[in-house]
Amino acid sequence: MKFSARSLFANALSGHENWPEQFPNKEPKKEYDVVIVGAGGHGLGAAYYLASKYGITNVAVVEKGWLGGGNTGRNTTIIRSNYLFDESARIYDHALDLWDGLSQELNYNVMYSKRGVLMLAHNVHDVQSFKRHVHANRLNGVDNVWLSPEECQKIVPFLDISQNRRYPVMGGAFQQRGGVARHDSVAWGYARGASKLGVDIIQNCKVIGIRRGADGAVEGVETEKGFIGAKKIGVSTAGNSSVLMEMAGLRFPLESYPLQALVSEPVKPIVPCVIMSNAVHAYISQSDKGELVIGAGTDQYTSYSQRGALHIVEHTIMSICEIFPIFRRMRMLRNWGGIVDVTPDRSPILGKTPVQGLYVNCGWGTGGFKATPGAADMLAYTIAHDAPHKINAPYNLDRFVGGRLIDEAAAAAVAH
Amino acid sequence: MMLIHCPYCDEKRPEIEFAYAGEAHIVRPNAAEQQAMDDVEWSKFMFIRDNKRGEHCERWWHANGCNMYFNAVRNTVTDKFIKSYKIGQKRPSAAQIQKWKDQANG
Ligand SMILES: Cc1cc2nc3c(=O)[nH]c(=O)nc-3n(C[C@H](O)[C@H](O)[C@H](O)COP(=O)(O)OP(=O)(O)OC[C@H]3O[C@@H](n4cnc5c(N)ncnc54)[C@H](O)[C@@H]3O)c2cc1C
Ligand SMILES: [Zn+2]
């Protein structure tokens, strides 16, 4: 079934009750060429690209809950690529290139909206560091421009740019190609696309072990629904990646923290782009339904609880009200948490592991939604070729031994 | 917000009085040991952490209280503290943790 104006119209006539199933729920076969663990955007995307780009269609995606129920369905959907380092520019910009044609390619509207991302500078340090980012980005061909306070206000009319505030707006960095996308659609679109190409998506099937042969290479995964054989396993389980790696006897430089977000009651369109204020730690955008979408910070302790503490949310709301007093009277409707896997340098680990046949895509922490198509493509490439692409080669595990860190943590000094 | 028992104050206080200080019982190598360590060992010391789903030994700092560091066992799935204990006390064995849990459940 292909979505088109005609199919929309025809289904409207029958009250939208006859749409066919988008992706069948499969029971596992005995064996696959590749098993992907984790049906988030990254895992589903990897399965899709394995089948569509790299010619491997005998693939299963195994998910412990429902697809898209992890961080993919819990994030604030900010997309941007204006990171400092060359390695980051390449991988995040690769993702942006793929975001561009994704809805057409999948014949599924992922609602990627290039409404722009504006990062506000509130002090001299911000100004200097953002300008440095702008220059570094331009050298890497990443669009990012420096704006004066007046230019910021042109984009965001309700922005108070008077300079006698506690956190005056001293300018901003603006990436027009940044924006948001609909998170669920990304998971559903990849799931539908992958299914069509023959990939089995197996939900409610937790992986509880990784079986290795006498030579150490992987033989398959033990799951709640029994053993599934595969010579190649790609793990893309975000906050649970340490747990999966431990099943293969590996210890990874990861810590898992709760990260929360919240949405307000829906209102008329007012926030024209994504607005971030790193210094005060407030970021906000508006969904197409009209809700303000607000991201909070991580809790201080490691956890797998998928919920965080209320004082973190309270702090976030205080920051939002400080920067945007116009929202003081808004009521918040829902808040929730996801578990994010954080590496010491805040850059992902994407590539081969010391175990033959085991590939990993993890450590995206607080900021991997934007990378979804890029990370998925790179994981698929690495699995298909048993070697990393040059874009993801720097994101190896060995950097924590050799010292070639990609230290976006120090570059941003906040969650990103 | 969690309530955390500080073994020095011997009181349960709200989490905002405390700062999390990472995995407990990581011993910093002394100068001679450091000389003998290779890159892989350094990497383990610097970057590799227990990131357990379940019972986790961790350090806390009663920053806005008595200013002391202490250790605690917490379940990272339920966020329930099983026991806080003073610095200097050894990493509890699985049996010890089970005993503490039984005591807590009375
Ligand atoms: C509140 C919040 C806000 C965020 N905001 C942003 C943002 O604005 N921009 C941005 O770029 N990023 C953001 N992120 C980060 C982003 O959500 C993640 O980096 C990204 O979605 C990770 O995608 P994934 O597909 O790897 O993981 P997930 O979607 O989490 O998928 C992993 C899947 O693995 C499954 N799994 C785990 N263990 C097992 C097992 N044993 N067996 C089988 N399956 C298993 C899980 O159930 C899950 O479905 C945010 C995250 C959170 C929590
Ligand atoms: Zn105390």
Side-chain angles (χ1 to χ4, degrees):
Chain A
M1 198 265 325
K2 199 168 154 26
F3 286 112
S4 63
R6 217 178 104 201
S7 70
L8 269 179
F9 182 73
N11 278 282
L13 290 179
S14 57
H16 290 297
E17 285 183 358
N18 298 319
W19 285 104
E21 193 177 46
Q22 298 295 306
F23 34 84
N25 208 1
K26 288 283 180 66
E27 287 304 306
K29 290 193 288 194
K30 275 212 171 63
E31 191 165 356
Y32 293 90
D33 293 340
V34 179
V35 164
I36 303 281
V37 186
H42 289 218
L44 291 164
Y48 170 76
Y49 290 121
L50 272 173
S52 67
K53 261 178 111 164
Y54 305 110
I56 304 177
T57 53
N58 187 18
V59 177
V61 185
V62 182
E63 163 60 46
K64 72 170 174 182
W66 65 96
L67 68 85
N71 293 346
T72 297
R74 295 164 189 265
N75 78 93
T76 48
T77 76
I78 297 172
I79 295 174
R80 62 187 183 89
S81 65
N82 50 358
Y83 287 79
L84 183 63
F85 295 110
D86 298 354
E87 295 87 348
S88 313
R90 275 179 221 123
I91 198 158
Y92 289 106
D93 235 24
H94 178 53
L96 280 196
D97 290 342
L98 290 172
W99 276 118
D100 247 337
L102 197 58
S103 293
Q104 282 72 22
E105 181 178 347
L106 295 175
N107 178 235
Y108 204 86
N109 192 357
V110 300
M111 296 165 79
Y112 169 40
S113 151
K114 287 182 260 189
R115 59 187 67 176
V117 172
L118 178 65
M119 297 168 101
L120 300 176
H122 298 291
N123 50 51
V124 174
H125 173 80
D126 275 358
V127 172
Q128 290 172 344
S129 115
F130 288 9
K131 283 190 174 168
R132 180 178 175 216
H133 273 74
V134 168
H135 295 316
N137 290 155
R138 283 167 69 177
L139 288 175
N140 274 318
V142 175
D143 73 306
N144 195 17
V145 290
W146 175 256
L147 301 181
S148 67
E150 292 73 23
E151 288 168 322
C152 292
Q153 199 187 39
K154 252 199 199 132
I155 296 173
V156 184
F158 62 83
L159 195 66
D160 178 358
I161 54 168
S162 57
Q163 294 299 304
N164 57 356
R165 299 183 58 191
R166 182 168 175 201
Y167 300 105
V169 173
M170 296 172 73
F174 187 66
Q175 184 179 25
Q176 181 66 63
R177 262 215 314 166
V180 292
R182 169 112 162 83
H183 47 7
D184 295 328
S185 290
V186 176
W188 297 335
Y190 274 130
R192 175 172 170 268
S195 288
K196 264 197 194 160
L197 298 169
V199 171
D200 283 358
I201 295 164
I202 302 156
Q203 304 183 66
N204 295 311
C205 182
K206 188 177 180 173
V207 170
I208 48 182
I210 292 176
R211 193 186 285 179
R212 296 172 62 184
D215 60 350
V218 301
E219 294 185 332
V221 290
E222 313 279 356
T223 77
E224 289 177 327
K225 296 185 176 176
F227 177 74
I228 306 174
K231 295 268 176 304
K232 291 184 171 185
I233 301 172
V235 171
S236 198
T237 50
N240 281 284
S241 298
S242 294
V243 180
L244 268 292
M245 288 299 111
E246 190 131 14
M247 291 176 192
L250 299 174
R251 276 166 64 82
F252 259 53
L254 290 173
E255 289 187 292
S256 298
Y257 294 93
L259 178 66
Q260 299 179 80
L262 58 154
V263 292
S264 74
E265 58 192 332
V267 288
K268 288 270 162 60
I270 176 160
V271 187
C273 61
V274 178
I275 313 170
M276 310 180 67
S277 164
N278 290 358
V280 192
H281 205 282
Y283 49 105
I284 192 164
S285 66
Q286 190 171 17
S287 74
D288 292 336
K289 271 191 285 182
E291 304 145 323
L292 301 182
V293 181
I294 298 169
T298 53
D299 279 84
Q300 53 174 340
Y301 49 86
T302 59
S303 176
Y304 289 88
S305 63
Q306 286 194 312
R307 57 183 216 192
L310 201 60
H311 67 267
I312 304 283
V313 174
E314 191 184 357
H315 181 80
T316 300
I317 303 257
M318 278 158 52
S319 307
I320 293 286
C321 293
E322 174 68 40
I323 308 281
F324 312 112
I326 189 173
F327 296 136
R328 267 194 203 157
R329 295 263 183 120
M330 296 280 296
R331 272 168 300 211
M332 295 300 141
L333 285 193
R334 288 178 288 128
N335 71 309
W336 63 89
I339 299 300
V340 296
D341 47 332
V342 175
T343 59
D345 61 359
R346 302 297 190 272
S347 288
I349 302 169
L350 207 184
K352 296 176 69 164
T353 70
V355 172
Q356 180 62 37
L358 185 66
Y359 307 86
V360 72
N361 167 45
C362 67
W364 286 99
T366 57
F369 177 73
K370 60 178 74 66
T372 302
D377 183 28
M378 289 299 108
L379 178 59
Y381 181 99
T382 307
I383 293 174
H385 296 83
D386 192 33
H389 188 277
K390 67 176 190 301
I391 292 179
N392 70 305
Y395 294 96
N396 56 44
L397 185 58
D398 287 344
R399 74 179 189 270
F400 297 101
V401 175
R404 281 199 77 87
L405 301 185
I406 306 165
D407 205 353
E408 291 292 345
V414 289
H416 59 82
Chain B
M1 187 184 311
M2 304 190 294
L3 289 177
I4 303 177
H5 179 256
C6 170
Y8 295 99
C9 299
D10 197 15
E11 248 185 278
K12 263 194 179 171
R13 307 288 304 166
E15 183 200 325
I16 43 169
E17 288 187 10
F18 299 85
Y20 181 70
E23 185 186 338
H25 305 295
I26 295 178
V27 181
R28 191 180 170 81
N30 66 30
E33 287 164 340
Q34 288 178 24
Q35 290 301 320
M37 281 165 74
D38 63 15
D39 288 352
V40 173
E41 286 164 324
W42 262 116
S43 171
K44 278 188 190 150
F45 169 69
M46 290 284 286
F47 297 129
I48 307 290
R49 294 291 175 267
D50 257 355
N51 189 25
K52 267 206 201 136
R53 219 188 139 90
E55 281 136 19
H56 184 239
C57 295
E58 58 198 28
R59 271 185 324 177
W60 285 86
W61 172 30
H62 199 176
N64 298 306
C66 66
N67 205 15
M68 297 289 276
Y69 279 87
F70 60 91
N71 292 331
V73 190
R74 181 177 53 96
N75 183 310
T76 59
V77 180
T78 60
D79 286 340
K80 250 198 161 150
F81 277 87
I82 292 155
K83 183 90 173 172
S84 305
Y85 52 97
K86 291 182 179 171
I87 293 289
Q89 228 169 297
K90 283 225 170 69
R91 177 192 279 271
S93 65
Q96 176 65 61
I97 293 175
Q98 190 55 47
K99 216 162 114 195
W100 282 338
K101 283 203 295 200
D102 294 343
Q103 279 168 3
N105 296 333

